[in-house]
């Protein structure tokens, strides 16, 4: 596929034509963008999950030193519950403790404390002694007559004595059928032996006031006491192990994380103090540590997910490739003049004077430093219009060992895949294109504005402290009547940026990083079978593939060949089932304003051009228009020039005479040589002292003249 960039764009001013020789390799940044898929609510597989919550007693239920337990479940799956104290002893329960809010619930009670003096039961405010000691309780839940169903264990860690934390409170457990929360449940159910009854699992803690859910693998808000947070944080800072129930987004215990990765995490959070961590977790945020494509770690606090709703995602992988284009002179950085006969020394210093200035002027267009990429990533994330989506995207890729891909956000639009018109994801890609273009423009403008090249004369030079990269030059004006003017201009480099989609994967995600299940397109059938009802698999599969085959490039042309179908054959040689995958050999091309064609893998989603200042400099010079000499001085100059011209003419004639002599000698023409000697006789060389000695006699008289007149 071939497209042309800037067909209607005027060529940039002061940019030279493209260099025909081989140009440097393009810079390339990789990023991940997520688009939610809209699946019908009745398409999901269902499972029996348990949610629990804690509420205070009503006025009619107030009974000091006790806690009520409510078990709410379908009649065909009546819940049972065994309660164990911290020391492992089974706690007895008593009946006849009805739940006025849930009349259908099976309600029991447990005694947490009793009067120190039971002889006077009327004195309920008297001293009490704890019957249940410790700061935690363990609940083992199942349903009656279950077969090959493991107990659901709820370890309720309260962070304070049970007798105080649960006093006059009701703990409710509800078992109900709900959309599947994790594809791992299907695999778990598949591995259970036959016969078996329905699987149950711990879904979440549910806030009774807001309805927000905290999945079962994380500590509920009521367990996040200040003392417990402080103890967990101090342990983490001392050992490098982060409790996954309290810090689920700091995955230091994963198999893919090596010692260097753990050390990187510890360096990233070294500046965090205990008070800040307590304040953030107490406000509902959670600590997230991410690793960028350069291997550097950073942390942030983000709001905790509020619900455990299943979803399918398109996870798109992009590259931002930048190619150098035209090169030419840009802005004027210095002008100065030399008077006739004047000489001066100049110093040319660039923005690369120190490591600090070099870092400030780095751009993603011509540099691949970690500082540049981090700054670019922050700019991209700040461009997202929906910060809730930005938070969700960090939750999705919260694994600390994730590397090689920058987080480029979560699409604000979703694509309907359970029927309807395909192409709904295109608006999300357009938003990504806009965000990336704005981020590149900001990054380029920031770097270019700081790329100063200084040309200082010897009269105004100021030496800087620290390392400096500069060149000294001596200039002089040899003219005697006119000034010599210099114009220094900074060189500009044009860059062509191409955002191209190179891979697409599909994922299951319920809002919490623990549920993430991302697969390539070749495993799409397995993912759908583990998350959707059988009669919805085929429509959703076709909807996803149709969505991918309608991806359009930046010129608005669809590229259906980006996704290809691999057909398998059975043992009998006949076509069998097949699967879809991204065509790794698919490429698209783009012609830039310089006329050069650039080919990249995948689909070009956006193409743009940027101009960036460089440390190169070009100099133009010209003489002044006015003469500084009067008529007499001008005449002297003219005569001096005329004399020099005459001397040059004489030397030219002498050279031509010698060439003629050599030519005659080579030809051996005696007559011509004789004629040459007559025309060009040899000059007489007379030594005055020797002449005097030869041409006088002893008496001082001149000797007689020779017989002929020939003079030698």
């Amino acid at each position: 596929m071939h497209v042309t960039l800037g067909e209607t764009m005027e060529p940039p001013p002061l940019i030279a034509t493209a260099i025909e020789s081989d140009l440097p390799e393009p810079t390339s940044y990789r990023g991940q963008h997520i688009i939610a898929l809209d699946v019908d609510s009745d398409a999901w597989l269902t499972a029996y999950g348990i949610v629990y919550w804690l509420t205070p007693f009503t006025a009619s239920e107030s009974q000091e030193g006790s806690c009520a337990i409510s078990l709410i479940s379908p009649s065909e799956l009546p819940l049972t519950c065994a309660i164990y104290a911290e020391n492992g002893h089974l706690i007895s329960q008593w009946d006849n403790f009805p739940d006025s809010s849930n009349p259908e619930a099976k309600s029991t009670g447990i005694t947490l404390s009793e009067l120190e003096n039971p002889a006077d039961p009327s004195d309920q405010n008297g001293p009490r002694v704890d019957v249940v000691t410790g700061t935690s309780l363990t609940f083992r839940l199942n349903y009656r007559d279950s077969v090959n169903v493991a107990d659901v264990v709820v370890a309720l860690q309260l962070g304070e004595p049970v007798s105080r934390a649960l006093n006059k409170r009701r703990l409710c457990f509800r078992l109900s059928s709900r959309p599947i929360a994790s594809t791992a449940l299907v695999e778990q159910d598949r591995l259970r032996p036959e016969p078996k009854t329905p699987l149950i699992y711990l879904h979440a803690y549910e806030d009774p006031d807001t309805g927000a859910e905290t999945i079962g693998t994380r500590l509920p808000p009521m367990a996040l006491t200040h003392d417990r947070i402080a103890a967990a944080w101090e342990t983490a800072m001392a050992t490098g192990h982060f409790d996954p129930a309290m810090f689920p987004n700091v995955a230091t215990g994963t198999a893919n994380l090596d010692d260097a990765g753990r050390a990187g995490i510890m360096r990233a959070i070294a500046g965090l103090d205990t008070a800040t961590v307590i304040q953030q977790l107490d406000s509902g945020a959670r600590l997230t540590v991410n690793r960028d494509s350069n291997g550097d770690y950073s942390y942030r606090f983000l709001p905790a997910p509020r619900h455990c709703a299943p979803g399918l995602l398109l996870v798109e992988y992009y590259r931002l490739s930048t190619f150098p284009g035209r090169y030419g002179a840009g802005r004027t950085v210095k002008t100065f003049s030399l008077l006739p006969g004047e000489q001066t020394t100049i110093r040319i210093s660039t923005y690369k004077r120190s490591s600090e200035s070099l870092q400030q002027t780095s751009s993603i267009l011509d540099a691949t430093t970690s500082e540049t990429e981090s700054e670019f990533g922050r700019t991209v994330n700040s461009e997202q219009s929906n910060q809730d989506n930005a938070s969700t995207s960090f939750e999705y890729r919260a694994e600390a060992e994730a590397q090689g891909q920058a987080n480029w956000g979560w699409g604000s639009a979703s694509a309907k895949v359970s029927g309807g018109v395909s192409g709904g994801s295109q608006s999300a890609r357009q938003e990504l294109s806009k965000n990336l273009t704005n981020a590149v423009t900001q990054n380029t403008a920031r770097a270019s504005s700081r790329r100063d090249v200084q040309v200082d004369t010897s009269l105004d030079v100021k030496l800087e402290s620290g390392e400096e990269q500069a060149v000294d030059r001596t200039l002089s004006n040899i003219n005697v009547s006119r000034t010599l003017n210099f114009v220094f201009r900074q060189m500009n480099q044009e860059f062509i940026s191409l955002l191209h989609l190179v891979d697409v994967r599909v994922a299951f995600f319920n809002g919490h990083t623990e549920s993430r299940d991302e697969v390539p397109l070749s495993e799409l059938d397995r993912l759908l079978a583990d998350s959707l009802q059988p009669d919805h698999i085929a429509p959703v599969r076709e909807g996803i593939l149709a969505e991918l085959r309608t991806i359009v490039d930046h010129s608005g042309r669809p590229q259906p060949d980006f996704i290809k179908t691999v057909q398998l054959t059975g043992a009998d040689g006949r076509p069998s089932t097949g699967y879809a995958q991204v065509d790794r050999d698919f490429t698209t091309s783009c012609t830039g304003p310089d006329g050069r064609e650039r080919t990249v893998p995948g689909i070009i989603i956006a193409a743009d051009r940027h101009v960036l200042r460089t440390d190169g400099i070009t100099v133009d010079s010209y003489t002044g228009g006015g003469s500084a000499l009067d008529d007499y001085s001008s005449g002297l100059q003219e005569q001096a020039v005329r004399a020099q011209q005459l001397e040059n003419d004489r030397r030219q004639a002498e050279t031509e005479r010698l060439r003629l002599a050599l030519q005659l000698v080579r030809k051996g023409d005696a007559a011509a040589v004789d004629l040459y000697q007559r025309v060009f006789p040899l000059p007489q060389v007379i030594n005055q002292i020797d002449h005097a000695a030869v041409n006088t006699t002893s008496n001082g008289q001149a000797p007689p003249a020779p017989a002929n007149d020939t003079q030698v």
Side-chain angles (χ1 to χ4, degrees):
M1 180 62 197
H2 175 269
V3 293
T4 301
L5 173 63
E7 293 176 334
T8 61
M9 186 188 305
E10 293 295 329
L14 304 176
I15 295 290
T17 58
I19 302 174
E20 294 300 328
S21 60
D22 290 337
L23 292 172
E25 289 295 322
T27 59
S28 182
Y29 287 86
R30 296 184 294 171
Q32 177 192 90
H33 182 247
I34 300 171
I35 301 175
L37 299 176
D38 188 2
V39 179
D40 292 341
S41 58
D42 61 349
W44 300 105
L45 287 175
T46 58
Y48 285 97
I50 296 176
V51 298
Y52 67 101
W53 65 93
L54 188 65
T55 61
F57 279 172
T58 62
S60 60
E61 296 173 338
S62 180
Q63 185 171 339
E64 188 70 30
S66 63
C67 172
I69 310 297
S70 291
L71 303 177
I72 309 166
S73 62
S75 58
E76 66 273 15
L77 299 176
L79 268 181
T80 62
C81 177
I83 308 173
Y84 295 87
E86 193 171 87
N87 57 13
H89 292 167
L90 179 65
I91 299 176
S92 61
Q93 305 176 53
W94 37 272
D95 297 327
N96 300 323
F97 206 142
D99 184 353
S100 59
S101 300
N102 301 284
E104 75 282 4
K106 177 187 176 182
S107 181
T108 63
I110 59 174
T111 300
L112 303 177
S113 64
E114 59 185 9
L115 289 172
E116 185 176 352
N117 182 15
D120 186 9
S122 61
D123 186 11
Q124 293 296 319
N125 296 323
R128 308 185 69 88
V129 294
D130 292 342
V131 175
V132 179
T133 59
T135 60
S136 65
L137 291 178
T138 300
F139 299 81
R140 301 187 70 92
L141 299 123
N142 211 315
Y143 58 88
R144 190 177 301 119
D145 300 327
S146 65
V147 179
N148 288 322
V149 178
D151 291 344
V152 171
V153 179
V154 179
L156 197 60
Q157 301 178 3
L158 302 170
E160 60 178 335
V162 173
S163 59
R164 182 166 66 246
L166 298 182
N167 184 38
K168 297 195 295 185
R169 293 194 175 188
R170 179 177 294 276
L171 188 61
C172 301
F173 295 91
R174 177 191 290 121
L175 176 66
S176 61
S177 177
R178 58 183 64 245
I180 194 170
S182 171
T183 57
L185 290 175
V186 177
E187 180 65 19
Q188 180 182 346
D189 186 53
R190 189 180 296 121
L191 296 176
R192 289 195 300 148
E194 295 288 352
K196 57 187 178 183
T197 54
L199 178 74
I200 63 174
Y201 72 97
L202 178 60
H203 183 72
Y205 168 82
E206 185 179 274
D207 189 296
D209 298 322
T210 64
E213 296 176 327
T214 303
I215 62 173
T217 57
R218 302 186 181 186
L219 286 175
M222 63 182 178
L224 293 177
T225 63
H226 291 189
D227 292 341
R228 182 163 187 180
I229 296 174
W233 181 251
E234 291 171 2
T235 299
M237 297 300 290
T239 65
H241 172 72
F242 291 77
D243 184 356
M246 184 172 294
F247 305 106
N249 301 123
V250 187
T252 54
T254 57
N256 295 331
L257 192 67
D258 54 16
D259 292 339
R262 292 184 180 88
I265 293 176
M266 298 306 294
R267 287 194 299 270
I269 63 174
L272 269 178
D273 58 85
T274 305
T276 300
V277 176
I278 292 175
Q279 180 184 9
Q280 292 289 342
L281 267 63
D282 193 42
S283 65
R286 86 281 190 204
L287 175 65
T288 300
V289 177
N290 291 108
R291 183 180 185 181
D292 61 24
S293 57
N294 289 313
D296 297 327
Y297 291 87
S298 61
Y299 77 87
R300 64 179 62 201
F301 288 96
L302 296 175
R306 296 181 56 83
H307 298 286
C308 305
L312 289 179
L313 311 174
L314 282 181
V315 185
E316 299 183 335
Y317 291 86
Y318 289 86
R319 290 182 192 172
L320 180 63
S321 299
T322 303
F323 299 82
R326 295 172 291 182
Y327 186 71
R331 64 169 187 152
T332 299
V333 296
K334 182 75 173 182
T335 61
F336 70 91
S337 302
L338 289 179
L339 299 178
E342 186 180 8
Q343 177 176 307
T344 189
T345 300
I346 65 171
R347 164 168 291 191
I348 302 175
S349 53
T350 73
Y351 56 84
K352 297 180 179 180
R353 289 186 296 271
S354 65
S355 58
E356 180 180 359
S357 61
L358 181 61
Q359 176 178 336
Q360 293 175 348
T361 57
S362 296
S363 168
I364 64 166
L365 300 181
D366 59 357
T368 54
T369 63
S370 58
E371 294 84 1
T372 301
E373 182 164 355
S374 298
E375 173 66 23
F376 178 66
R378 287 191 292 268
T379 306
V380 172
N381 291 321
S382 66
E383 286 290 325
Q384 290 201 71
S385 59
N386 191 323
Q387 291 304 310
D388 288 339
N389 288 341
S391 176
T392 306
S393 67
F394 277 101
E395 176 73 28
Y396 177 80
R397 62 181 302 273
E399 290 83 355
E401 72 274 11
Q403 56 181 324
Q405 305 290 340
N407 177 23
W408 286 349
W410 187 291
S412 59
S414 61
K416 183 73 173 177
V417 294
S418 294
V421 180
S422 59
S425 61
Q426 192 58 32
S427 61
R429 295 187 189 92
Q430 292 174 352
E431 181 184 18
L432 171 67
S433 173
K434 175 186 70 69
N435 292 343
L436 265 293
T437 300
N438 291 343
V440 173
T441 301
Q442 292 183 33
N443 181 274
T444 303
R446 174 194 57 79
S448 188
S449 64
R450 298 175 180 176
R451 293 191 171 187
D452 293 328
V453 176
Q454 297 179 357
V455 180
D456 301 316
T457 65
S458 58
L459 300 178
D460 60 6
V461 64
K462 296 181 180 179
L463 297 180
E464 298 184 7
S465 60
E467 181 183 357
E468 183 176 36
Q469 181 179 353
V471 177
D472 292 337
R473 298 286 179 85
T474 300
L475 304 177
S476 61
N477 183 7
I478 63 173
N479 299 295
V480 297
S481 65
R482 297 179 185 273
T483 59
L484 183 60
N485 306 298
F486 295 91
V487 178
F488 293 81
R489 301 172 71 185
Q490 190 172 4
M491 300 299 290
N492 289 342
Q493 175 69 64
E494 180 187 53
F495 291 94
I496 308 300
S497 297
L498 303 178
L499 175 66
H500 47 115
L501 174 65
V502 296
D503 193 16
V504 179
R505 298 164 71 92
V506 182
F508 177 92
F509 186 58
N510 72 358
H512 297 75
T513 188
E514 295 92 332
S515 68
R516 168 180 160 176
D517 185 4
E518 182 180 314
V519 299
L521 292 182
S522 58
E523 299 182 24
L524 177 60
D525 289 342
R526 193 277 300 168
L527 181 69
L528 298 182
D530 288 351
S531 56
L532 299 179
Q533 299 284 354
D535 56 341
H536 286 270
I537 293 177
V540 171
R541 180 182 187 276
E542 292 306 316
I544 292 175
L545 296 181
E547 192 70 32
L548 296 178
R549 291 192 174 102
T550 56
I551 297 176
V552 299
D553 60 21
H554 76 288
S555 63
R557 301 168 184 169
Q559 301 293 335
D561 295 336
F562 181 59
I563 304 298
K564 67 178 182 179
T565 300
V566 178
Q567 191 69 43
L568 302 178
T569 56
D572 56 358
R574 295 182 179 180
S576 180
T577 58
Y579 60 89
Q581 69 176 21
V582 173
D583 187 355
R584 302 296 179 183
D585 298 326
F586 185 85
T587 60
T588 50
S589 300
C590 175
T591 300
D594 56 1
R596 296 175 65 93
E597 181 177 296
R598 298 168 177 86
T599 301
V600 294
I603 303 175
I604 298 176
I605 303 298
D608 204 358
R609 57 172 290 274
H610 307 273
V611 177
L612 190 64
R613 297 176 186 171
T614 70
D615 59 343
I617 195 168
T618 184
V619 184
D620 287 330
S621 63
Y622 59 93
T623 57
S627 175
L629 300 178
D630 57 14
D631 293 342
Y632 175 76
S633 299
S634 297
L636 292 178
Q637 291 294 315
E638 292 174 356
Q639 293 302 317
V641 171
R642 181 170 178 273
Q644 186 63 45
Q645 290 175 343
L646 292 174
E647 176 62 20
N648 291 341
D649 293 343
R650 185 191 67 78
R651 291 184 179 183
Q652 180 65 27
E654 180 67 20
T655 300
E656 292 176 355
R657 184 177 70 82
L658 292 176
R659 289 176 179 171
L660 177 61
L662 293 175
Q663 183 179 4
L664 295 177
V665 170
R666 291 191 185 98
K667 291 182 177 180
D669 188 345
V673 171
D674 181 66
L675 180 61
Y676 177 88
Q677 290 178 339
R678 291 177 180 275
V679 176
F680 302 108
L682 294 174
Q684 184 177 11
V685 180
I686 300 177
N687 189 312
Q688 296 296 331
I689 299 176
D690 294 343
H691 181 76
V694 171
N695 293 287
T696 59
T697 60
S698 59
N699 58 7
Q701 298 295 321
N708 54 47
D709 296 336
T710 302
Q711 186 177 24
V712 181

